[in-house]
Amino acid sequence: MYISRLSVSSQRYSNFYYKMSQLEPLISDLALILICAGVMTLLFKSLKQPIVLGYIVAGFLASPNMPYMPSVTDGHSVHVWSDIGVIFLLFALGLEFSFRKILKMGAAPIIAALAIILGMMYVGSLTGHLFGWSDMNSLYLGGMLAMSSTTIIFKAFDDMGLGKERFSSLVLSVLIIEDILAIVLMVMLSTVAVSKEFEGTQMLTSILKLGFFLVLWFVVGIYLIPILLKKVKPLMNNETLLITALALCFGMVVFASAVGFSAAFGAFVMGSILSETVAAQKIEHLVNPVKNLFGAIFFVSVGMMVDVNLIIEYIVPILCIVAAIMVGHTLLSTGAFLISGQSLKTSMRCSFSLTQIGEFAFIIASLGTSLHVTSDFLYPIVVAVSVFTTFTTPYMIRLAEPAYNVVSRVLPAKWIARLERNATENEEEKETNEMRQMWHAELKRAVFMILITSVLCVAVIALMYHYGAPLIYDLLPAPWAGIVTAVVTLFLSAPLIWTLMRQGSRSENVNRLWDEGGSIERIKLSALTVLRFLIGAAFISYIIGNTLPRSGLFGIFAAIAVLLFIFFSPKLEKHSNRLVQTFTENLNERDGEQA
């Protein structure tokens, strides 16, 4: 009996030891990564260099490409950790992001960001094709070169004491736009990678799908998540808030992946939703250590891809890509900022600050590698280019003013005067026609309302048809099932349709435009009202026509009756006003708390 118990204990100990030995590579690899990262971050911090470069060097030291050091043995686990690192990096970026800030920036940063991205994508693709690389390698190279590094530029401005300068705020505004467009670009590159070809129709469909889900998630998130956080506020401490925020983040990651988007996109969306809540700053503070840990592992994994032999082999393409970034950004970005209405000096200071690639280049490179559409040499080339351009960033920022002095001496004086005058006129231009101002505000509000309510109506209809209708048809016979489906769908979408057709139609701006604006303003208001009415009628007709396909003349009368009921319903007006008020309060909640 004793011997049998001893043998059982011995067997359990053997199993335990075996399991521990199975975990040993995972733990030892993590220890090696963190030791290398810790030493390198201290070294680079003392040298006043970006810590990101320290992580990349640490990854190189811990990789099998470094024969004189211990190396990571379980590459798959490191890859999984780096994927989690991307999720945390994008989630943290979303927490610093604000859709409302984008709207307040005006057109200048948006115009500049679009021009820079399109121009640099062309430069990158052209550079790849000149070296005879495949279309996919060249396309991904263009995507990597299009995005400057928010982290590196922000750190450089901070170290050089330029954070308060006007041009630096403009650069950071452009970087915010680039970050959101980078998410769009990743979706587009994924679509191209899967289809293996560039199809305009498919790309447009992907962009529309992206926009649809972005609006849907943002609106629903802003409406529901602040309510949830208020309900559970008495139960919230640092631990529960952190776990709740991470649960929301990874829940959105899973949902985004399920509908065909990347995990990084889902993390960014949830971060941007939480950024509008009063808990955003606290969540950002709590998530920061976790983001630093897994972000470090991601950048270390980037360094592990560095192969000195490949860099030596491709030293000419590396130097040419660096030159393309330097020349491309200084010329294209200067032109982009000039087009957006900035002075020549401001444009050059902005463009010289953007001459590097960073974290998004690594993320796009990882995307190409994971989808198996880019060659093995591309990743280490991009890492080498990033390291070089990161080191040169402070010097390029300092070089902007001397370069402007040279250009101002070379260009004709009247050209310089013209550029400066255009910028001054752009900055000081004010709308003097009050009626036109009011009309623009009303048009912007109406377009915003149409976009949001249309997306929500489509979502309600899609959910009913995919989930609700099959259940109803299982419970009821065909004629009644269609009627019940139509009634339930109309009931759920009625407040949204009322909002679409009538919300804000009696606002102060509308009344003043109607009373004081003259016949032209009345015609424009009437046309806008008719457009909103027709869109609402289209949704009602679609619901009735698809649930009661053989209704004929009865269906037409039913659609008209439902339309008139929704349009004139005081209960729907009250319900719609309550929904809009709740959404607006949630959206402005953080500003109210800070005030």
Side-chain angles (χ1 to χ4, degrees):
M1 188 69 164
Y2 174 77
I3 295 175
S4 65
R5 286 180 179 175
L6 185 63
S7 64
V8 169
S9 299
S10 176
Q11 182 66 35
R12 288 176 178 172
Y13 177 78
S14 299
N15 291 338
F16 175 76
Y17 181 79
Y18 175 74
K19 290 178 181 178
M20 286 298 292
S21 65
Q22 289 296 99
L23 287 174
E24 185 180 350
L26 180 70
I27 297 172
S28 61
D29 287 346
L30 181 60
L32 178 61
I33 287 172
L34 293 180
I35 290 170
C36 291
V39 172
M40 287 298 107
T41 53
L42 292 174
L43 176 61
F44 275 70
K45 187 72 174 177
S46 66
L47 296 174
K48 296 183 179 180
Q49 296 298 326
I51 293 178
V52 171
L53 292 179
Y55 291 144
I56 293 173
V57 174
F60 173 70
L61 295 176
S63 70
N65 298 318
M66 184 65 178
Y68 307 106
M69 292 278 293
S71 60
V72 169
T73 57
D74 187 0
H76 175 71
S77 295
V78 176
H79 178 70
V80 173
W81 287 339
S82 69
D83 287 343
I84 297 174
V86 172
I87 290 172
F88 278 113
L89 286 171
L90 270 295
F91 181 57
L93 180 63
L95 287 170
E96 299 172 0
F97 179 81
S98 173
F99 286 97
R100 289 181 300 121
K101 288 180 182 177
I102 295 296
L103 297 176
K104 291 177 182 178
M105 286 174 189
I110 299 174
I111 293 171
L114 285 171
I116 290 168
I117 289 174
L118 293 175
M120 288 307 298
M121 281 198 70
Y122 177 77
V123 169
S125 299
L126 180 63
T127 304
H129 281 116
L130 289 176
F131 286 106
W133 297 347
S134 67
D135 290 341
M136 202 63 70
N137 280 332
S138 300
L139 181 62
Y140 270 76
L141 178 64
M144 296 172 206
L145 268 57
M147 302 297 163
S148 299
S149 173
T150 305
T151 304
I152 293 168
I153 294 174
F154 184 82
K155 183 69 168 60
F157 284 163
D158 188 49
D159 291 343
M160 299 170 70
L162 299 173
K164 305 276 187 183
E165 296 276 345
R166 181 184 177 277
F167 88 94
S168 65
S169 63
L170 185 60
V171 169
L172 293 175
S173 298
V174 169
L175 290 171
I176 292 173
I177 304 293
E178 284 190 354
D179 288 341
I180 185 64
L181 292 177
I183 305 296
V184 179
L185 180 62
M186 288 170 63
V187 174
M188 294 173 62
L189 290 174
S190 300
T191 304
V192 173
V194 172
S195 63
K196 301 297 183 183
E197 56 186 7
F198 188 91
E199 294 183 2
T201 304
Q202 186 178 15
M203 193 62 60
L204 179 61
T205 302
S206 298
I207 294 173
L208 290 175
K209 180 183 176 184
L210 172 67
F212 173 81
F213 279 104
L214 191 62
V215 173
L216 176 64
W217 289 336
F218 180 72
V219 173
V220 174
I222 289 296
Y223 186 82
L224 294 180
I225 289 178
I227 295 175
L228 170 66
L229 293 178
K230 287 176 185 175
K231 294 286 186 184
V232 299
K233 187 175 181 179
L235 306 175
M236 283 292 184
N237 56 21
N238 288 348
E239 182 178 356
T240 54
L241 181 59
L242 173 63
I243 299 303
T244 301
L246 295 184
L248 291 170
C249 171
F250 280 89
M252 182 59 81
V253 163
V254 172
F255 189 55
S257 300
V259 296
F261 296 118
S262 67
F265 177 70
F268 177 82
V269 169
M270 182 49 65
S272 64
I273 292 171
L274 289 173
S275 72
E276 305 294 350
T277 67
V278 293
Q281 194 168 359
K282 193 170 184 181
I283 292 173
E284 187 178 352
H285 175 72
L286 294 172
V287 169
N288 206 44
V290 187
K291 178 207 74 173
N292 289 341
L293 172 62
F294 285 98
I297 294 174
F298 167 70
F299 288 115
V300 168
S301 71
V302 170
M304 291 172 61
M305 300 291 293
V306 176
D307 187 338
V308 176
N309 295 324
L310 271 178
I311 291 175
I312 295 173
E313 181 181 352
Y314 289 95
I315 188 64
V316 174
I318 289 172
L319 294 177
C320 289
I321 292 171
V322 170
I325 292 172
M326 299 290 185
V327 176
H329 264 299
T330 52
L331 295 179
L332 291 173
S333 300
T334 299
F337 283 106
L338 286 172
I339 292 171
S340 68
Q342 305 305 312
S343 66
L344 178 60
K345 184 175 184 178
T346 301
S347 298
M348 291 187 67
R349 294 188 77 185
C350 291
S351 63
F352 274 68
S353 303
L354 296 170
T355 53
Q356 79 292 117
I357 59 174
E359 52 273 11
F360 262 114
F362 304 145
I363 293 172
I364 292 173
S366 298
L367 178 67
T369 302
S370 63
L371 294 173
H372 305 291
V373 294
T374 56
S375 302
D376 292 338
F377 64 80
L378 193 58
Y379 205 131
I381 284 178
V382 169
V383 173
V385 170
S386 174
V387 171
F388 189 92
T389 55
T390 299
F391 277 117
T392 60
T393 294
Y395 303 103
M396 291 297 293
I397 294 173
R398 292 192 185 99
L399 187 62
E401 286 205 42
Y404 168 75
N405 294 332
V406 171
V407 170
S408 62
R409 287 196 298 268
V410 172
L411 287 179
K414 60 181 181 181
W415 288 19
I416 300 293
R418 178 64 179 168
L419 291 172
E420 299 295 342
R421 185 166 64 252
N422 285 345
T424 303
E425 290 172 358
N426 185 272
E427 290 171 6
E428 296 179 352
E429 184 181 3
K430 293 182 180 179
E431 187 62 70
T432 57
N433 191 331
E434 187 180 0
M435 289 296 108
R436 190 179 299 174
Q437 263 190 332
M438 292 170 60
W439 163 248
H440 286 163
E442 175 60 23
L443 180 63
K444 190 183 297 183
R445 187 200 61 78
V447 170
F448 184 70
M449 192 69 67
I450 290 171
L451 175 64
I452 289 179
T453 51
S454 297
V455 167
L456 292 176
C457 283
V458 170
V460 169
I461 294 170
L463 288 172
M464 275 300 303
Y465 284 2
H466 283 283
Y467 299 102
L471 180 61
I472 294 171
Y473 274 87
D474 286 341
L475 298 174
L476 298 172
W480 290 104
I483 294 172
V484 172
T485 301
V487 169
V488 174
T489 308
L490 288 169
F491 176 79
L492 294 174
S493 57
L496 300 172
I497 295 174
W498 191 97
T499 303
L500 169 63
M501 293 191 296
R502 297 200 59 189
Q503 183 62 238
S505 59
R506 294 195 293 264
S507 68
E508 184 180 348
N509 273 2
V510 172
N511 291 335
R512 284 195 60 191
L513 284 168
W514 188 267
D515 295 335
E516 304 172 16
S519 58
I520 299 297
E521 302 301 332
R522 292 183 181 183
I523 291 172
K524 291 193 289 187
L525 284 174
S526 300
L528 190 58
T529 301
V530 170
L531 174 63
R532 294 173 63 177
F533 186 86
L534 290 176
I535 295 173
F539 279 116
I540 294 172
S541 302
Y542 181 84
I543 293 169
I544 292 177
N546 279 273
T547 50
L548 303 172
R550 297 181 182 178
S551 55
L553 193 60
F554 171 77
I556 296 174
F557 283 118
I560 294 173
V562 171
L563 180 64
L564 293 175
F565 171 79
I566 291 176
F567 191 83
F568 292 107
S569 172
K571 288 186 178 180
L572 286 176
E573 179 178 4
K574 187 181 295 185
H575 189 40
S576 171
N577 290 337
R578 189 164 58 247
L579 290 174
V580 172
Q581 182 181 359
T582 302
F583 177 81
T584 306
E585 288 175 353
N586 289 348
L587 186 63
N588 298 322
E589 183 183 37
R590 189 175 181 185
D591 288 345
E593 185 77 8
Q594 290 173 348

